[in-house]
Amino acid sequence: RAARRAGSEALRRWEASYSSGRAGIASPSPISRAPPAHRLAEIFPKKLVDDIYRSSFKAQTGVSLKYMMDFGAQPIQRQLMVSAQFLHNELPVRFAHRVAELENLPLGLSSKEQVQTVRDWYVESYDELKKFPKIENREDEAKFTTLIKRVMDRHANVVPMIARGVLELKLELEREGGDGDGPRLGKRGVENKWMNDMPEIHQFLDGFYMSRIGIRMLMGQHVALEEASAATGSPEENYIGLICTKVSPVAVARDAIEDARSICMREYGDAPEVEVFGDESFTFAYVPGHLHQMLFELVKNSLRAVSDKYLDSDQMPPPIRVVIAEGAEDVTIKISDEGGGIRRSGLQRIWTYLYTTANSPLLEMDADTGAGPAVLAGYGYGLPLSRLYARYFGGDLQVLSMDGYGTDAYLHLNRLGNIAEPLP
């Protein structure tokens, strides 16, 4: 009964907001005086808006790494058909959840132009998927895969677009001196409020980006399986779609280190050495792209910390150590540096989004398309996103620091692959 009452109340609010032309957009806070750029009900048919709302109440279906591997081990036509049929049903539900969420963000974030652009991308993709006919044969599956590729291209810049919208909200808070409900705050006061008193923003970003990781993984996996099936030559060895059944963490670490050191060389003219310790013959099943992204971010942070500490020193910077350990349940990778560490009072801030906005590339991007600098590493997104990538398949990322000495980051990767997606 309580669930029915909650659903009825939600429906009443939705209908009331729709009839007033707002379609569920949260009321702007005092700091967001500008009206929304456009409202959902004004640019999309009522039937589509209502359908999205109903789909947003449906449960999402999570899958595990092991399921993806078992399912795609033999990408025969029948399995590709089943995969396409699953995505045909699942993706609209996930997109509807995101649309409903983007319509009801706090502090007027829903009215930001970039956030509304992303919302419209999700609505358009939802509409295309719902209009696509039932998948019944190989030709239908091939056409659906083409649609999936188009959707992936449309959503390519979702991360920087949302980040730009959030950044504009934060800068607006700084200009206005607070959230409009209390005394004016200085820039440092707003920074502290952003970190401590606005958990709903960070919770939204965690859930939204986790959902995006899952959506991109499902679509990318299907496209990769389709391409492997259509390839005339032999498929890539040890790969099932995007998943490599024999990932060498040592090899991926060395690639990530090389990429991170090249960036450090461009920035500082030199780069500390990085030592890797681990069994080179050890492999396990994982997504190499995810692992590379996490290790690149962690090594890059350590390189920057060590380079800054020894910038004006005659001493040789101590090497960064990457240690890879094989456990019964987890593969754990530790990245250790002697870059001076992080103050205990500021340790939790490393997990918040846009902790620093200095020289942010987000200010250089195209506000309409997200084109431009899209590398978010070092601008308040690298560590939070890395932790989400780790958690997506049941792992985690922890950072321990000794202020005045250095920092240890522990990347835990679930090697069993039996954990389902943590859907928001």
Side-chain angles (χ1 to χ4, degrees), residues 272-275 277 303 306 316-322 336-339:
E273 294 296 323
V274 182
E275 301 173 346
F277 302 88
L303 287 169
V306 173
M316 180 71 69
I320 295 161
R321 294 165 54 90
V322 177
S336 300
D337 68 60
E338 298 176 34

Side-chain angles (χ1 to χ4, degrees), residues 85 88 129-137 140-141:
Q85 290 165 351
H88 193 205
L129 288 164
K130 293 293 283 187
K131 287 179 178 177
F132 195 88
K134 187 177 180 181
I135 300 170
E136 297 180 332
N137 54 49
D140 293 342
E141 186 273 324

Side-chain angles (χ1 to χ4, degrees), residues 10-30:
L11 180 59
R12 186 192 63 77
R13 290 197 303 269
W14 176 276
E15 291 175 341
S17 63
Y18 185 89
S19 62
S20 65
R22 299 188 58 82
I25 296 178
S27 300
S29 69

Side-chain angles (χ1 to χ4, degrees), residues 3-288:
R4 285 199 298 271
R5 284 198 301 270
S8 298
E9 177 62 20
L11 180 59
R12 186 192 63 77
R13 290 197 303 269
W14 176 276
E15 291 175 341
S17 63
Y18 185 89
S19 62
S20 65
R22 299 188 58 82
I25 296 178
S27 300
S29 69
I31 66 162
S32 302
R33 300 186 182 91
H38 52 246
R39 297 162 180 158
L40 197 63
E42 295 176 348
I43 58 175
F44 294 106
K46 182 179 187 304
K47 184 176 182 296
L48 173 60
V49 175
D50 290 346
D51 192 39
I52 290 174
Y53 171 74
R54 285 190 293 268
S55 294
S56 72
F57 272 77
K58 295 180 180 179
Q60 303 170 92
T61 304
V63 297
S64 67
L65 180 67
K66 186 176 186 303
Y67 178 83
M68 291 185 194
M69 287 194 299
D70 292 343
F71 182 83
Q74 296 293 330
I76 60 176
Q77 300 307 322
R78 174 60 186 162
Q79 287 171 305
L80 289 173
M81 284 269 295
V82 173
S83 172
Q85 290 165 351
F86 169 74
L87 292 180
H88 193 205
N89 292 323
E90 178 66 16
L91 289 177
V93 174
R94 297 198 184 196
F95 288 161
H97 277 256
R98 303 288 71 78
V99 172
E101 188 174 41
L102 290 167
E103 281 283 81
N104 292 281
L105 298 176
L107 294 172
L109 184 56
S110 292
S111 66
K112 298 302 176 190
E113 180 181 356
Q114 297 81 10
V115 174
Q116 293 193 340
T117 298
V118 171
R119 178 204 65 189
D120 293 351
W121 289 345
Y122 277 97
V123 172
E124 291 165 13
S125 297
Y126 176 94
D127 192 29
E128 288 186 357
L129 288 164
K130 293 293 283 187
K131 287 179 178 177
F132 195 88
K134 187 177 180 181
I135 300 170
E136 297 180 332
N137 54 49
R138 177 70 179 87
E139 184 179 356
D140 293 342
E141 186 273 324
K143 291 179 180 178
F144 181 77
T145 302
T146 300
L147 171 59
I148 289 298
K149 292 178 181 178
R150 187 163 68 246
V151 170
M152 292 181 73
D153 289 341
R154 176 184 295 138
H155 293 241
N157 290 322
V158 162
V159 172
M161 283 290 279
I162 290 293
R164 173 64 184 268
V166 174
L167 176 59
E168 290 199 356
L169 171 63
K170 186 182 178 187
L171 294 177
E172 195 172 66
L173 279 169
E174 291 176 355
R175 288 194 301 269
E176 297 290 337
D179 59 6
D181 293 329
R184 290 181 58 83
L185 304 171
K187 183 173 181 179
R188 177 59 61 89
V190 171
E191 188 77 46
N192 290 333
K193 189 174 184 63
W194 182 261
M195 298 303 126
N196 302 318
D197 299 338
M198 299 182 185
E200 63 272 22
I201 294 290
H202 302 295
Q203 289 169 6
F204 154 69
L205 291 171
D206 273 345
F208 183 85
Y209 288 138
M210 179 67 84
S211 173
R212 173 181 160 79
I213 291 170
I215 289 171
R216 301 291 289 190
M217 182 66 202
L218 291 180
M219 292 194 295
Q221 180 72 359
H222 176 81
V223 170
L225 289 174
E226 165 68 25
E227 291 175 346
S229 174
T232 55
S234 58
E236 192 170 359
E237 188 177 7
N238 300 324
Y239 270 83
I240 300 175
L242 299 177
I243 304 165
C244 180
T245 58
K246 293 186 177 181
V247 173
S248 167
V250 170
V252 175
R254 286 175 176 158
D255 287 342
I257 289 166
E258 183 179 350
D259 292 342
R261 291 189 79 242
S262 67
I263 289 179
C264 187
M265 290 286 287
R266 290 200 300 268
E267 182 72 21
Y268 294 93
D270 198 3
E273 294 296 323
V274 182
E275 301 173 346
V276 180
F277 302 88
D279 183 357
E280 296 190 19
S281 64
F282 168 67
T283 62
F284 73 118
Y286 208 73
V287 181

Side-chain angles (χ1 to χ4, degrees), residues 318-360:
I320 295 161
R321 294 165 54 90
V322 177
V323 182
I324 300 167
E326 173 190 359
E329 295 182 359
D330 288 349
V331 175
T332 302
I333 303 176
K334 180 175 76 168
I335 297 91
S336 300
D337 68 60
E338 298 176 34
I342 305 167
R343 294 180 182 180
R344 187 161 57 91
S345 60
L347 198 56
Q348 285 304 311
R349 297 185 180 187
I350 66 176
W351 304 115
T352 56
Y353 293 87
L354 295 176
Y355 173 51
T356 174
T357 60
N359 302 317
S360 174

